[in-house]
Amino acid sequence: MNDGRRNELDNLYRRYTKPLYYFLLKLSGSHQLAEDLVQETFVRATISLSFYQNEDVRAWLFKVARNAYLDEWRRRQRRKWVPFADYLFSKDEMASPYGLPEDEAIQSEISDDLQQLMTYLPEQYRSILYLREVEMFSYQEIEEALELTGSQVKVTLHRARKKLAQIAEKQGWKDDEHGMD
């Protein structure tokens, strides 16, 4: 690897390690797994970056991170040693099998209560809500990161918000207490 390529990767690592870590923590609920998946993301990025031609590296890195999470999740599903938090997680496709993330890491991103509610969402809903609401991705960046069309992004985001509101209502949340619309 030449010095220019190495510097490019170093810059990407410094810039995106923390956002990717929080994204993966949000998906997995595990600090250890999130750290491991960040490393896996950059390993994959190092291998694939020479082939990547698109200008939006941020969306591409989040896509690589999400794929690393999904690969790990599928691998654990096949082994059947993934502990499910409760019955609800076993009913929803791709619900987080790792439980709730620590409050400390998430407080800077969103409130703890909202974080807890999002663990009840299927993976695709958690991903799209996180990318839009926390990482402030544009719809186009979400399209690229999640490999969805523009209309799929809008529909999925709408459904994710609606599902989150339904879960919040079941949990006894009130709109005026938590700022949910």
Side-chain angles (χ1 to χ4, degrees), residues 11-76:
N11 289 336
L12 287 176
Y13 189 82
R14 273 188 239 111
R15 186 171 180 187
Y16 293 111
T17 297
K18 196 171 182 178
L20 287 171
Y21 168 78
Y22 286 122
F23 174 63
L24 291 165
L25 177 62
K26 175 68 93 183
L27 291 179
S28 70
S30 166
H31 290 286
Q32 180 66 41
L33 183 58
E35 289 173 0
D36 291 347
L37 290 173
V38 167
Q39 295 302 316
E40 177 66 22
T41 298
F42 280 101
V43 167
R44 291 181 183 190
T46 302
I47 293 169
S48 303
L49 196 58
S50 61
F51 304 108
Y52 185 72
Q53 302 298 320
N54 199 330
E55 294 177 4
D56 191 356
V57 173
R58 183 173 83 143
W60 179 73
L61 280 173
F62 275 82
K63 179 173 141 182
V64 171
R66 181 174 179 254
N67 287 339
Y69 167 76
L70 292 174
D71 290 346
E72 178 63 24
W73 189 86
R74 287 182 194 118
R75 190 174 17 255
R76 290 182 183 217

Side-chain angles (χ1 to χ4, degrees), residues 30 37-38 51 66 73 82 100 110 129 152 157-158 181:
S30 166
L37 290 173
V38 167
F51 304 108
R66 181 174 179 254
W73 189 86
V82 177
L100 302 175
I110 58 174
L129 281 174
Q152 288 174 323
L157 190 57
H158 174 74
D181 297 324

Side-chain angles (χ1 to χ4, degrees), residues 27-28 69 73 77 82-85 89 94-99 126:
L27 291 179
S28 70
Y69 167 76
W73 189 86
Q77 285 293 324
V82 177
F84 283 98
F89 290 117
M94 303 296 286
S96 175
Y98 305 103
R126 278 183 283 132

Side-chain angles (χ1 to χ4, degrees), residues 79-143:
R79 292 181 188 157
K80 298 193 183 272
W81 56 268
V82 177
F84 283 98
D86 59 35
Y87 181 74
L88 180 61
F89 290 117
S90 68
K91 288 295 183 186
D92 290 331
E93 183 183 15
M94 303 296 286
S96 175
Y98 305 103
L100 302 175
E102 286 185 20
D103 296 341
E104 182 180 330
I106 303 303
Q107 282 179 340
S108 63
E109 300 294 330
I110 58 174
S111 73
D112 293 341
D113 291 339
L114 185 56
Q115 172 65 28
Q116 182 179 1
L117 288 177
M118 287 185 65
T119 62
Y120 294 105
L121 294 173
E123 182 278 328
Q124 188 177 30
Y125 288 176
R126 278 183 283 132
S127 292
I128 200 165
L129 281 174
Y130 184 85
L131 293 177
R132 181 68 181 160
E133 306 300 339
V134 177
E135 291 296 327
M136 306 303 217
F137 271 40
S138 68
Y139 282 28
Q140 186 173 1
E141 289 175 318
I142 294 172
E143 287 176 34

